[in-house]
């Protein structure tokens, strides 16, 4: 089993959360809410208003999300979903589980549902999908602490099924050094890179 931190459309209540709940993809179990130990820029970009966590530690916010315990099958499916390592890269990063008042986590017994304190928070290593190579102008975009597709940013996320041309054509919007999408001959039709 592995831990994965999600910060975008894969979170509970977001447009792509169904990916984590579909048993055909493998098993995933929510451990709880969390935030990154390091700061990162979380921005919304591309013609489809996709949330991206940029590999630029020390810039931005302590990003809020959720940690899931996943089996090998789910992790492999998430790699396909995120087109790792061609688009996003999966890296181990430190995150702190942040239970809410009255909420237990698998790291604390259910009988200890007290308001969160420094003692009830646990820091763990979790896989995170980061965009490693991005256009420098993305660092000038508004940075978020937490993403919601229906947030006050007013940037409507466009799900893959609603896009006029499904595929990786939007790579040119965000990836540094990409002129026409992914290199010719690479099969990316099974990925959904925006779903973290």
């Amino acid at each position: 089993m592995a831990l994965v931190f999600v910060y975008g459309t894969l979170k509970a209540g977001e447009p792509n959360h169904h990916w984590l709940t579909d048993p055909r993809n493998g098993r995933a179990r929510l451990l709880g809410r969390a935030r990154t130990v390091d700061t990162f820029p979380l921005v919304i970009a591309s013609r489809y208003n996709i949330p991206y966590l940029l590999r630029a530690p020390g810039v931005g916010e302590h990003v809020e999300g959720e940690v899931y315990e996943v089996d090998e099958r789910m992790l492999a499916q998430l790699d396909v979903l995120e087109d790792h390592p061609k688009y996003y890269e999966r890296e181990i990063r430190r995150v702190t589980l942040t239970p809410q008042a009255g909420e237990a986590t698998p790291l604390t017994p259910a009988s200890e549902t007290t308001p969160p304190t420094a003692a009830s928070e646990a820091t763990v290593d979790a896989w995170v999908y980061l965009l490693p190579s991005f256009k420098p102008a993305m660092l000038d975009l508004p940075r978020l602490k937490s993403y919601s597709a229906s947030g006050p940013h007013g940037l409507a996320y466009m799900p893959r099924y609603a896009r006029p041309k499904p595929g990786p054509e939007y790579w040119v919007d965000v990836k540094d050094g990409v002129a026409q999408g992914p290199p010719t001959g690479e099969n990316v039709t099974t990925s959904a890179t925006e779903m973290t």
Side-chain angles (χ1 to χ4, degrees), residues 47-86:
R47 64 193 78 179
Y48 302 127
N49 295 320
I50 297 168
Y52 291 96
L53 194 61
L54 307 179
R55 186 196 287 154
V59 177
E61 302 283 341
H62 295 282
V63 175
E64 297 173 350
E66 298 167 348
V67 172
Y68 288 84
E69 183 179 60
V70 301
D71 65 9
E72 289 182 30
R73 183 174 176 188
M74 180 65 78
L75 188 60
Q77 291 299 315
L78 290 174
D79 283 349
V80 170
L81 184 75
E82 303 294 4
D83 210 3
H84 164 72
K86 293 180 232 164

Side-chain angles (χ1 to χ4, degrees), residues 26-63:
R27 292 183 319 169
R29 180 174 68 107
L30 175 66
L31 290 188
R33 299 175 202 182
R35 68 175 175 271
T36 58
V37 170
D38 292 326
T39 57
F40 290 95
L42 173 60
V43 300
I44 299 172
S46 90
R47 64 193 78 179
Y48 302 127
N49 295 320
I50 297 168
Y52 291 96
L53 194 61
L54 307 179
R55 186 196 287 154
V59 177
E61 302 283 341
H62 295 282
V63 175

Side-chain angles (χ1 to χ4, degrees), residues 2-5 67-68 91-95 124-128:
L3 300 182
V4 177
F5 175 78
V67 172
Y68 288 84
E91 301 178 358
I92 291 284
R93 296 291 177 158
R94 303 282 290 160
V95 297
V124 297
D125 290 333
W127 289 112
V128 179

Side-chain angles (χ1 to χ4, degrees), residues 72-124:
E72 289 182 30
R73 183 174 176 188
M74 180 65 78
L75 188 60
Q77 291 299 315
L78 290 174
D79 283 349
V80 170
L81 184 75
E82 303 294 4
D83 210 3
H84 164 72
K86 293 180 232 164
Y87 194 69
Y88 285 100
E89 289 184 6
R90 177 167 48 92
E91 301 178 358
I92 291 284
R93 296 291 177 158
R94 303 282 290 160
V95 297
T96 302
L97 289 165
T98 56
Q100 304 300 303
E103 187 177 72
T105 71
L107 301 177
T108 59
S111 61
E112 297 179 18
T113 55
T114 58
T117 64
S120 65
E121 294 182 349
T123 300
V124 297

